[in-house]
Amino acid sequence: MGTLTRRILFTLSLLLAVDLAVVLTVAALLTPWLAPLRAALARVLPVGSAIAWWVAVVAPSLLAFVWAQLRYTRRQTLAAVDASVVGPEAYPALHDRVQRLCQQADMSVPTLAVAESSVPNSFAVGTFGSATVVVSEGLLSTLDGAALDAVLAHELMHVKNRDATVMTLASFLPALTNGEYGPLDDLLPGFPSRRVVFGAVGLAVAAVLSVRFVDAPVGSLEFALAVAFLFAATVGLGGVLLGVFTAPVVVLARSLSRAREFAADRSAARLTGNPSALVEALERLDDGAAATPERDKRRAYDGVRGLCFLPHGFERSPPDDTFHVETRSHPPTDERIARLRRVEIEL
């Protein structure tokens, strides 16, 4: 087992541990309201109450949470960069390149998407069963030949190494904590007061479930204040704990990001047999990005930090709306090039 594989498995294990902590925290915060469900499960299942709770609620909730993170993050990331899945009929040359590289790498062909952006960049997102490689229109117009093959090979190595899946999973909690993701917002698209509606619905549900344990007449001011306090305390404490759980996820993601970029560079160079092509791509794209004027960061989107080929933004259309990927954990381009030069000597 290689060093990168061990780091990926270690990071994935810790991410799943954090997800389990999140699920357990939510279950603990909702204990007063979920007590009837827990008692009913203990009566139905021929095991103790704690085991029944784990088997019927906690374990499925963890699996659902991980699955939802991967699916939602993939969809949200593609939407954020205006990327659309494309077939061979729309981009035949791109599909031919990727299919040829996948055959060389002995891997399945991932889904391909093209972002409506003039800024040349790319990234890969993945779930446990599939992956999507995203390239911008700017990348396709800037690079061709061996240089374009090298960048595509780099993204395919992220998919093959499975680090794209781990980084996709790692990007969810930080983006949720920063307010960049709003999973419930999709339920009422275009509605200006979505959070108010969801808060009101949640408070109403809490009031109904509170009848069993709030020692006050239903409908009285005392009952309303007790329910409101419990609801606010639960939401507030949940937000604080979410921030606490997010901190180690950020550290894990940044630690893995540097190693995975070096590994993808090295693997792509070996796959194409042409390290200098990837060096050319890094130099051209890095120089081009350095010449790009500063953009307004007020609309920055930081949910996929560490995913891009280079740490530069995707400028969306119209021009005043930007998508920016913060990838402070990326290794310096000069260091990546120096390592590729050593690979070139080895080959």
Side-chain angles (χ1 to χ4, degrees):
M1 183 183 296
T3 302
L4 179 65
T5 301
R6 287 195 297 270
R7 295 191 66 166
I8 289 174
L9 291 176
F10 176 72
T11 302
L12 178 60
S13 299
L14 293 182
L15 289 175
L16 293 177
V18 171
D19 282 347
L20 177 59
V22 171
V23 170
L24 291 176
T25 299
V26 172
L29 291 173
L30 297 180
T31 293
W33 292 281
L34 297 180
L37 173 61
R38 188 163 185 168
L41 289 173
R43 288 193 299 268
V44 173
L45 296 178
V47 291
S49 177
I51 299 178
W53 187 247
W54 270 93
V55 172
V57 176
V58 175
S61 296
L62 176 60
L63 293 175
F65 184 47
V66 172
W67 177 84
Q69 286 182 77
L70 292 171
R71 292 295 299 271
Y72 180 80
T73 302
R74 175 190 175 277
R75 180 167 57 85
Q76 189 75 1
T77 303
L78 295 184
V81 298
D82 286 338
S84 301
V85 174
V86 296
E89 63 283 349
Y91 288 83
L94 175 63
H95 274 266
D96 287 345
R97 287 179 183 273
V98 172
Q99 190 168 30
R100 171 172 49 79
L101 290 169
C102 286
Q103 288 176 346
Q104 292 176 225
D106 191 24
M107 60 181 289
S108 301
V109 179
T111 301
L112 296 180
V114 174
E116 296 181 9
S117 170
S118 60
V119 177
N121 218 333
S122 62
F123 62 89
V125 289
T127 66
F128 289 119
S130 63
T132 302
V133 171
V134 181
V135 297
S136 67
E137 292 178 340
L139 182 74
L140 297 178
S141 62
T142 302
L143 299 181
D144 57 10
L148 180 56
D149 277 353
V151 174
L152 293 174
H154 174 97
E155 300 302 342
L156 291 175
M157 292 304 98
H158 282 316
V159 174
K160 185 172 184 178
N161 293 337
R162 299 292 185 182
D163 59 86
T165 300
V166 175
M167 292 298 291
T168 301
L169 182 63
S171 69
F172 179 80
L173 284 181
L176 185 65
T177 302
N178 294 336
E180 295 161 0
Y181 285 166
L184 296 178
D185 291 351
D186 292 343
L187 299 179
L188 293 173
F191 195 80
S193 303
R194 294 185 293 266
R195 295 187 180 182
V196 175
V197 172
F198 295 135
V201 171
L203 186 58
V205 172
V208 173
L209 297 176
S210 299
V211 173
R212 185 186 59 83
F213 61 88
V214 172
D215 188 16
V218 178
S220 65
L221 179 60
E222 184 181 2
F223 178 83
L225 291 176
V227 172
F229 174 77
L230 287 172
F231 183 76
T234 300
V235 173
L237 182 58
V240 171
L241 291 175
L242 182 62
V244 172
F245 292 138
T246 297
V249 172
V250 172
V251 173
L252 288 170
R254 291 183 179 179
S255 175
L256 177 62
S257 185
R258 287 179 59 87
R260 86 185 196 108
E261 291 301 330
F262 287 134
D265 284 347
R266 183 172 57 254
S267 298
R270 292 184 178 279
L271 177 65
T272 61
N274 189 1
S276 60
L278 189 54
V279 170
E280 176 190 352
L282 284 167
E283 291 176 338
R284 289 177 61 182
L285 299 185
D286 197 49
D287 290 343
T292 302
E294 282 293 320
R295 299 185 179 85
D296 186 0
K297 302 268 184 83
R298 288 173 297 177
R299 301 184 184 182
Y301 177 90
D302 194 22
V304 287
R305 61 170 59 89
L307 290 181
C308 282
F309 178 67
L310 282 175
H312 308 301
F314 281 78
E315 185 180 24
R316 298 178 59 188
S317 178
D320 64 341
D321 191 9
T322 62
F323 165 74
H324 185 79
V325 180
E326 291 289 345
T327 51
R328 291 181 288 269
S329 58
H330 262 60
T333 302
D334 290 345
E335 187 175 352
R336 294 172 67 180
I337 290 175
R339 293 197 179 203
L340 284 169
R341 295 297 188 194
R342 290 199 290 270
V343 174
E344 190 170 22
I345 294 174
E346 293 173 5
L347 293 179

